[in-house]
Amino acid sequence: GQQLNQSPQSMFIQEGEDVSMNCTSSSIFNTWLWYKQDPGEGPVLLIALYKAGELTSNGRLTAQFGITRKDSFLNISASIPSDVGIYFCAGHTTAGNNRKLIWGLGTSLAVNP
Amino acid sequence: DGGITQSPKYLFRKEGQNVTLSCEQNLNHDAMYWYRQDPGQGLRLIYYSQIVNDFQKGDIAEGYSVSREKKESFPLTVTSAQKNPTAFYLCASSLWGDQPQHFGDGTRLSIL
């Protein structure tokens, strides 16, 4: 199935650093979603974006829906140890069956206290 | 509390057996989904259902079956035809349309 290009694949940072990750696609998207998954748990929705150019924050997290509608980024400011996990982007495209989410392969984040 | 409940958390299957994973939601969501996640991998869609008594194959439906007799429930059966069933299985639900999916805590299936 179709997938998003999510990068970086993994990150290892020091506590207090800012983090940035992004997703790109060759297709136009109607929505962009960012999830976090802790080990052995299901993904939890962090931020949902619905309009091109939309910039939304959730605490220390900020995400944007790219103007071209083909990309999105997630920033985490002042990272803390509990930010450790896998971050997934996902979205609904304008093509085909938009009831299905298209998923990135995830960014694994490790934070050194 | 509203949410999605998956059970059991851990499940073991013998070779040649069918096993059924439970997924129940009390969010009044129309759509429900089953995903498979392998170690270090993303989520792959097995089956999804947009309304009761209707469901569609996802990207990796072979060796799996589902039913949607009630809005709240979407059980997944891993059949003996699935040759590599060891994985983490995630159930999700959402409102109709381009709405975010919300996930249960998953079931980890292993082969004895």
Side-chain angles (χ1 to χ4, degrees):
Chain A
Q2 183 181 0
Q3 286 183 328
L4 295 169
N5 299 313
Q6 185 171 351
S7 65
Q9 184 176 3
S10 62
M11 303 180 73
F12 186 85
I13 61 171
Q14 294 294 123
E15 183 177 359
E17 290 184 356
D18 296 344
V19 172
S20 184
M21 59 192 79
N22 69 84
C23 275
T24 62
S25 174
S26 57
S27 301
I28 292 174
F29 276 63
N30 288 329
T31 64
W32 283 98
L33 308 171
W34 286 93
Y35 289 84
K36 182 192 178 203
Q37 185 178 27
D38 292 327
E41 304 292 332
V44 174
L45 181 68
L46 299 173
I47 293 178
L49 303 162
Y50 298 99
K51 295 194 310 184
E54 181 181 355
L55 183 71
T56 297
S57 294
N58 178 7
R60 294 178 295 106
L61 279 61
T62 301
Q64 185 161 28
F65 193 137
I67 291 293
T68 65
R69 298 173 66 190
K70 294 183 179 181
D71 62 343
S72 177
F73 72 74
L74 174 71
N75 288 341
I76 305 173
S77 63
S79 59
I80 60 178
S82 62
D83 290 334
V84 167
I86 302 177
Y87 292 79
F88 290 100
C89 63
H92 295 95
T93 70
T94 58
N97 184 346
N98 63 5
R99 305 297 183 254
K100 297 196 307 182
L101 272 179
I102 309 300
W103 290 86
L105 293 181
T107 295
S108 178
L109 178 64
V111 179
N112 189 27
Chain B
D1 287 346
I4 302 171
T5 302
Q6 289 187 241
S7 61
K9 181 70 173 174
Y10 300 94
L11 187 58
F12 298 92
R13 193 191 90 169
K14 293 182 180 179
E15 295 280 353
Q17 273 188 340
N18 293 350
V19 290
T20 297
L21 283 61
S22 170
C23 180
E24 303 277 334
Q25 56 99 0
N26 60 5
L27 299 170
N28 200 32
H29 285 169
D30 302 299
M32 297 186 74
Y33 312 81
W34 274 106
Y35 291 91
R36 170 181 172 137
Q37 187 176 32
D38 293 287
Q41 301 296 314
L43 280 66
R44 292 187 290 170
L45 184 65
I46 304 173
Y47 268 99
Y48 64 105
S49 169
Q50 298 168 341
I51 57 173
V52 174
N53 293 322
D54 188 44
F55 47 83
Q56 287 78 41
K57 293 182 179 180
D59 300 317
I60 55 165
E62 185 174 352
Y64 300 97
S65 65
V66 293
S67 63
R68 186 87 187 276
E69 298 177 1
K70 299 187 299 182
K71 187 176 184 178
E72 302 79 19
S73 178
F74 191 40
L76 172 74
T77 297
V78 183
T79 75
S80 57
Q82 172 51 244
K83 298 308 179 186
N84 184 24
T86 297
F88 190 48
Y89 291 88
L90 288 160
C91 178
S93 69
S94 72
L95 294 170
W96 184 245
D98 294 349
Q99 296 301 311
Q101 294 176 14
H102 299 271
F103 287 82
D105 285 338
T107 292
R108 187 166 300 280
L109 175 62
S110 301
I111 299 301
L112 291 177

